[in-house]
Amino acid sequence: MELKVIDLKAYLSVMDKLGGEPSKITEQLGPELTGLCKEVARSLREAGAVVVRDPRCSEEENEKFIEMMERYYESPVEYKRPQERPDFHYQVGITPEKVEIPRLLVDEEMQEKVKAMPKESQPTTLVGSDLKWRYMWSVGPRPAKTRFKELNGAPVIPENFPGWTETMNSWGYKMIAATEVVAEMAAIGFGLPKDAFTSLMKQAPHVLGPTGSDLKSYGQEGTVLAGYHYDTNFLTIHGRSKFPALNIWVKNGQKVEGSVPEGCLLIQTGKQMEYLTGGDCIAGMHEVVVTEKTTEAIKQALEQNRSLWRVSSTLFAHIASDAVLKPLGHFAESPLASNYPPMYAGEFIKQELSAINLKG
């Protein structure tokens, strides 16, 4: 299944003028833009992902961000360790390699589902914890009062790293803006009020979470950098990486390469989206594995004397910790809705993080 690229430009030009009930918004948008919103919703439902082009997010800025993170990850381990915050569930600061456990290793139900898959669709065999590092940078305002302070920590700033805060915030805010537009379009496409999702995203613990994988040490074909898992948040957005390695699974169980065309962004559904749609959108499964294409990119990087750290420019957009997760609107009438009882988003995230060894 090939993911069609959806250009957000036309919707962006009218989004601020939209108001009223879902039927009135459909009239205001007209058939073409309404169809585009339905296409976003369909892609999230059927593929657990959508590829978009947002004119506010340039390839040049993605490159600038990745190059800065390459410099950071190339720093000595003793420089990076002071940015660890296990007491905040690693939701701010650095998570070293071999800390996070792939969901597949701890979820027996998931293991049974994998065994039932055709061989060609099964994830790569796991041997242990993830080999990736990850930096979590808080983006956007946090609530003055919250039941979940440990999920809403202040950003951690590395010492003596010029341009860090400006670059992280610039790219982070643009990525959040892209997820908000997709969330709004998806709501319209699902027949919900346009702010059904975005109203729950205000003051949420959004984090820019670029991974760093050392391909000098772990560049052998078949090496699992991040094991088969879903994301616990609402929507996950990625810019293009210099080293292809992402595999994603669509709803029918097919395994496809998660390639991001130049100038585009890949957005995947997380577990909070699954919750809010009563299981209509399933959290997208994915893994990061060194493939033949990755090794080709490694050879090219060596020839050009470039960094061998694979950086993903990933942002995790969340639902506010103190908001209640439950199926919205007509999704509450879904046959699966009873599988998603009301729960604070923060409590849900804490349970999920504990399962993969990020409990603090």
Side-chain angles (χ1 to χ4, degrees):
M1 179 179 182
E2 189 173 341
L3 296 177
K4 177 184 171 185
V5 176
I6 293 178
D7 198 321
L8 304 182
K9 186 176 180 180
Y11 182 83
L12 285 168
S13 68
V14 301
M15 62 181 288
D16 291 335
K17 302 166 191 169
L18 300 175
E21 293 300 311
S23 58
K24 189 172 284 187
I25 287 175
T26 300
E27 283 177 29
Q28 293 167 340
L29 283 175
E32 192 172 332
L33 284 181
T34 299
L36 203 62
C37 291
K38 288 181 178 177
E39 181 66 20
V40 169
R42 185 197 67 78
S43 190
L44 292 175
R45 176 189 286 122
E46 294 180 7
V50 63
V51 176
V52 301
R53 180 175 280 109
D54 188 329
R56 302 167 300 177
C57 302
S58 70
E59 185 72 17
E60 291 73 26
E61 189 158 8
N62 184 47
E63 287 282 324
K64 178 184 175 184
F65 172 76
I66 285 176
E67 286 169 6
M68 185 189 79
M69 291 309 304
E70 287 172 347
R71 293 195 300 275
Y72 173 78
Y73 283 125
E74 285 165 355
S75 303
V77 171
E78 55 267 29
Y79 173 78
K80 292 179 281 196
R81 287 284 183 184
Q83 287 101 55
E84 279 188 71
R85 297 293 186 274
D87 48 329
F88 281 86
H89 303 277
Y90 293 98
Q91 294 306 285
V92 291
I94 192 73
T95 307
E97 62 179 48
K98 300 180 182 178
V99 168
E100 187 171 339
I101 298 170
R103 186 82 199 192
L104 182 58
L105 284 183
V106 296
D107 191 323
E108 292 182 4
E109 184 181 343
M110 189 182 291
Q111 291 166 10
E112 291 304 312
K113 287 180 180 177
V114 165
K115 286 177 187 175
M117 289 178 176
K119 200 71 176 171
E120 66 274 11
S121 294
Q122 289 183 5
T124 309
T125 303
L126 302 178
V127 294
S129 302
D130 285 349
L131 299 177
K132 69 180 189 301
W133 292 68
R134 188 190 294 284
Y135 205 99
M136 296 291 237
W137 176 259
S138 306
V139 183
R142 296 304 197 249
K145 291 183 178 180
T146 174
R147 300 171 183 83
F148 306 99
K149 288 183 180 178
E150 70 276 28
L151 298 178
N152 290 271
V156 177
I157 305 172
E159 286 187 21
N160 303 316
F161 204 105
W164 177 272
T165 298
E166 296 79 8
T167 302
M168 296 295 265
N169 282 341
S170 176
W171 187 240
Y173 275 103
K174 287 184 177 182
M175 297 275 269
I176 287 175
T179 62
E180 288 174 339
V181 172
V182 167
E184 198 171 278
M185 292 177 75
I188 293 169
F190 286 133
L192 299 171
K194 76 166 189 169
D195 66 347
F197 299 130
T198 54
S199 62
L200 301 174
M201 296 171 70
K202 298 183 188 307
Q203 295 191 333
H206 307 307
V207 282
L208 187 57
T211 60
S213 302
D214 182 7
L215 297 177
K216 192 174 182 179
S217 301
Y218 306 120
Q220 185 177 357
E221 189 172 343
T223 302
V224 179
L225 304 173
Y228 184 74
H229 68 287
Y230 58 74
D231 291 337
T232 60
N233 53 297
F234 175 58
L235 290 174
T236 301
I237 182 169
H238 313 265
R240 196 161 67 110
S241 174
K242 295 179 183 178
F243 298 93
L246 178 67
N247 292 321
I248 66 175
W249 278 258
V250 297
K251 197 170 185 177
N252 67 8
Q254 183 187 0
K255 178 181 179 179
V256 298
E257 183 185 348
S259 59
V260 184
E262 187 171 345
C264 294
L265 302 162
L266 173 67
I267 297 177
Q268 293 174 278
T269 54
K271 205 69 175 175
Q272 290 178 333
M273 169 66 97
E274 180 178 324
Y275 222 103
L276 295 173
T277 61
D280 193 53
C281 288
I282 299 296
M285 304 303 301
H286 50 285
E287 67 178 5
V288 181
V289 178
V290 177
T291 64
E292 185 179 348
K293 286 187 178 180
T294 318
T295 59
E296 288 170 5
I298 291 171
K299 287 175 189 172
Q300 193 174 45
L302 283 168
E303 289 167 4
Q304 297 172 359
N305 198 30
R306 290 191 285 107
S307 174
L308 289 183
W309 277 86
R310 181 191 185 273
V311 173
S312 71
S313 59
T314 303
L315 179 132
F316 301 102
H318 279 260
I319 297 303
S321 301
D322 295 274
V324 175
L325 289 177
K326 61 180 180 180
L328 301 177
H330 60 83
F331 291 119
E333 308 304 317
S334 159
L336 298 175
S338 60
N339 295 336
Y340 303 93
M343 176 186 283
Y344 285 119
E347 191 58 45
F348 172 73
I349 291 295
K350 283 173 66 176
Q351 288 181 14
E352 292 285 316
L353 292 176
S354 180
I356 56 173
N357 204 37
L358 298 182
K359 55 194 174 191

